[in-house]
């Protein structure tokens, strides 16, 4: 398949094998067939965006039982409150209008709504839209595309800001999204979006950032090139520490001068060979090594008679569990705070997901930290576990136990 963003030719550099849908937690003993896809990453020769080689079934992925809730991390909730304050502070028109694509449970827009600013959240996950509406956020269960964008503009007028967090990379039909942005954005409006950053994935070897929902892995270079195809300029970039390293991209209609940060990040990407095949192939070789190391650590714990549990049934963990062939035999349980995941089993790997034990005495000896991107928040919360000798297995940026 040619590049979904620009139509140019692509080359494969990573094969993560047969994978389930990462957020499709299963009811135990569900007799229905599980959906599998072949997870392979390719890089485009034209715009340089990294993307999945094979199509993903978006209707099966984002629906009224979508289990990811933005507010499940306290740090992310405060990140989005601060983001909203910044977006609001930058609004200049007398009656501004803010659109969020992928508004989930309304964590970001709740702050915008509380300031009395006109806004609209658009998200196909109807259950999360209901939660947003319960927070007094104006949100609709819809897909963002050219048709929706035209309807929104007719109803509300042009948007001063279109914001998206961990959403643009989820949408294979990026051209449809950009056509929608061309329609809905005010002439002097901005598109601001943040997603996992290819440079960080390569630097940390965080291969679990690659799964069905992360169809694209962006960089400043690729975003600038894709934006240019649609009459937009990448006018600012900001590196963020959240979710294991993201970049926030700001786009405006052509004519605005980019900040020096844009040229600087593109120059760094050139210098470090971010989109070059040898660099990407070296990353892939490191991923294969990590599989063996992680399995060895788990087998050592088992042989030493130490109990291990997974910490957080993240979407990312689907890639790790299925690529490393880790099932209930090596990891008997994964604990997670999300009610919708508890009582189910992890996709593909069939490991029971349970609520965290109430009593520390029921904790395992060792946790395999799947939510490594929230490590600071989690380690702070689990002080007592560490104090009584509990250990963490990590696999980013390398496999280690401490
Ligand atoms: P996250 O890394 O934010 O996302 P993703 O699923 O996209 O990889 O992980 C979210 C999951 O982690 C969610 O199921 C809730 C769980 N979680 C906990 O169980 N405990 C915690 O302290 C945190 C921060 C998350």
């Amino acid at each position: 398949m040619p590049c979904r963003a620009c139509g140019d030719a692509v080359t494969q550099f990573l094969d993560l094998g047969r994978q389930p849908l990462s957020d499709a937690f299963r009811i135990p003993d569900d007799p229905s067939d599980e959906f599998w896809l072949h997870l392979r990453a390719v890089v485009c020769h034209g715009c340089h965006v990294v993307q999945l080689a094979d199509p993903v079934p978006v209707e099966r992925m984002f629906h009224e039982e979508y289990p990811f809730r933005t507010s499940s991390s306290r740090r992310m909730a405060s990140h989005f409150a601060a983001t909203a304050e910044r977006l609001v502070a930058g609004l200049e028109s007398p009656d501004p209008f803010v659109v969020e694509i992928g508004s989930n449970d309304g964590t970001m827009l709740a702050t915008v709504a509380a300031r009395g600013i006109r806004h609209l959240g658009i998200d196909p996950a109807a259950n999360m839209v209901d939660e947003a509406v319960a927070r007094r956020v104006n949100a609709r269960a819809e897909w963002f595309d050219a048709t929706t964008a035209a309807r929104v503009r007719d109803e509300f007028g042009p948007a001063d800001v279109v914001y998206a967090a961990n959403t643009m990379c989820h949408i294979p039909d990026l051209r449809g999204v950009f056509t929608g942005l061309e329609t809905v954005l005010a002439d002097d409006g901005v598109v601001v979006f943040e997603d996992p950053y290819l440079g960080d994935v390569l630097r940390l070897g965080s291969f679990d950032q690659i799964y069905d929902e992360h169809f694209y892995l962006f960089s400043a270079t690729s975003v600038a090139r894709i934006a240019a195809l649609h009459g937009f300029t990448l006018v600012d970039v900001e590196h963020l520490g959240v979710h294991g390293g993201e970049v926030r991209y700001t786009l405006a209609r052509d004519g605005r001068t980019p900040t020096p940060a844009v040229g600087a990040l593109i120059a760094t990407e050139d210098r470090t060979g971010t989109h070059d095949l040898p660099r990407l192939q070296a990353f892939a070789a490191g991923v294969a090594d990590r599989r063996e190391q992680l399995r060895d650590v788990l087998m050592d714990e088992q042989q030493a008679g130490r109990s291990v549990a997974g910490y957080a049934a993240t979407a990312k963990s689907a890639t790790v569990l299925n690529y490393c062939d880790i099932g209930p035999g090596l990891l008997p349980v994964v604990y997670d705070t999300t009610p919708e995941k508890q009582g189910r089993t992890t996709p593909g790997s069939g490991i029971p997901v349970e609520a965290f034990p109430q009593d520390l005495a029921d904790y395992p000896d060792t946790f395999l930290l799947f939510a490594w991107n929230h490590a600071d928040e989690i380690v702070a919360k689990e002080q007592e576990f560490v104090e009584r000798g509990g250990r963490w297995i990590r696999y980013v940026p390398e496999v280690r136990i401490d």
Side-chain angles (χ1 to χ4, degrees):
M1 221 167 45
C3 173
R4 294 291 296 266
C6 79
D8 216 322
V10 298
T11 299
Q12 180 180 322
F13 63 90
L14 178 67
D15 188 340
L16 290 165
R18 215 167 79 102
Q19 293 279 346
L21 301 182
S22 59
D23 267 319
F25 290 84
R26 307 261 297 169
I27 296 165
D29 304 321
D30 182 346
S32 68
D33 286 340
E34 195 155 13
F35 186 90
W36 296 90
L37 48 86
H38 191 174
L39 195 66
R40 298 181 294 158
V42 300
V43 62
C44 172
H45 295 272
C47 69
H48 288 347
V49 73
V50 165
Q51 64 202 275
L52 301 186
D54 297 282
V56 293
V58 285
E59 274 88 6
R60 277 177 178 261
M61 291 156 58
F62 308 113
H63 45 67
E64 66 289 346
E65 288 186 26
Y66 186 58
F68 176 82
R69 188 174 279 109
T70 303
S71 58
S72 65
S73 153
R74 280 167 63 181
R75 180 180 175 214
M76 291 313 296
S78 62
H79 167 79
F80 288 120
T83 300
E85 295 293 1
R86 263 185 57 184
L87 294 179
V88 166
L91 294 170
E92 284 171 1
S93 81
D95 181 21
F97 177 46
V98 175
V99 172
E100 184 177 10
I101 308 174
S103 45
N104 196 264
D105 61 1
T107 299
M108 194 289 286
L109 281 180
T111 302
V112 176
R115 301 281 172 278
I117 291 165
R118 288 192 308 130
H119 63 276
L120 180 66
I122 299 170
D123 197 307
N127 56 340
M128 293 302 154
V129 166
D130 287 346
E131 294 190 16
V133 170
R135 296 170 143 186
R136 299 178 181 277
V137 165
N138 187 22
R140 289 181 186 170
E142 286 186 43
W143 300 86
F144 182 84
D145 56 21
T147 313
T148 313
R151 216 170 339 106
V152 169
R153 187 174 175 131
D154 282 349
E155 197 176 332
F156 296 87
D160 298 277
V161 176
V162 178
Y163 176 74
N166 309 304
T167 298
M168 290 287 264
C169 75
H170 286 55
I171 310 178
D173 181 19
L174 203 55
R175 289 194 239 196
V177 171
F178 269 93
T179 308
L181 293 173
E182 287 173 47
T183 302
V184 81
L185 196 71
D187 287 346
D188 56 354
V190 285
V191 178
V192 180
F193 69 97
E194 55 200 65
D195 280 302
Y197 177 53
L198 175 63
D200 287 315
V201 172
L202 298 182
R203 184 174 58 82
L204 298 172
S206 44
F207 66 100
D208 57 346
Q209 293 281 21
I210 301 170
Y211 56 92
D212 59 335
E213 294 179 12
H214 285 182
F215 193 84
Y216 294 102
L217 267 179
F218 295 120
S219 59
T221 303
S222 60
V223 169
R225 291 184 184 204
I226 295 165
L229 299 173
H230 297 272
F232 291 107
T233 302
L234 176 61
V235 293
D236 199 15
V237 287
E238 185 185 351
H239 191 250
L240 306 173
V242 296
H243 279 314
E246 300 206 324
V247 168
R248 178 179 287 162
Y249 306 93
T250 302
L251 312 181
R253 291 191 191 274
D254 287 345
R256 286 226 327 233
T257 311
T259 63
V262 175
L265 190 54
I266 290 175
T268 302
E269 291 170 1
D270 280 347
R271 201 181 61 245
T272 53
T274 304
H275 314 92
D276 296 348
L277 260 188
R279 176 80 188 88
L280 296 167
Q281 284 162 342
F283 161 76
V287 173
D289 292 345
R290 226 175 275 190
R291 168 171 55 186
E292 302 315 315
Q293 293 159 1
L294 183 56
R295 287 185 55 82
D296 286 350
V297 169
L298 287 173
M299 285 191 275
D300 287 351
E301 288 296 280
Q302 196 168 58
Q303 270 157 22
R306 285 191 287 269
S307 58
V308 184
Y311 199 108
T314 59
K316 293 183 290 297
S317 70
T319 295
V320 179
L321 291 168
N322 290 283
Y323 175 68
C324 301
D325 197 15
I326 298 169
L330 266 185
L331 189 70
V333 63
V334 180
Y335 295 121
D336 194 281
T337 55
T338 311
E340 290 87 344
K341 296 182 183 179
Q342 296 162 1
R344 297 200 171 214
T345 60
T346 56
S349 46
I351 302 173
V353 180
E354 293 177 11
F356 284 87
Q358 297 284 325
D359 193 338
L360 206 63
D362 297 323
Y363 265 40
D365 298 308
T366 307
F367 270 127
L368 171 51
L369 183 58
F370 288 125
W372 55 268
N373 46 312
H374 301 304
D376 291 351
E377 175 176 343
I378 289 170
V379 172
K381 189 161 68 174
E382 302 294 358
Q383 281 283 346
E384 268 186 78
F385 163 70
V386 175
E387 278 160 19
R388 50 126 247 191
R391 301 199 300 168
W392 299 99
I393 298 172
R394 301 168 201 253
Y395 50 87
V396 175
E398 73 264 315
V399 175
R400 68 168 206 262
I401 178 163
D402 53 24

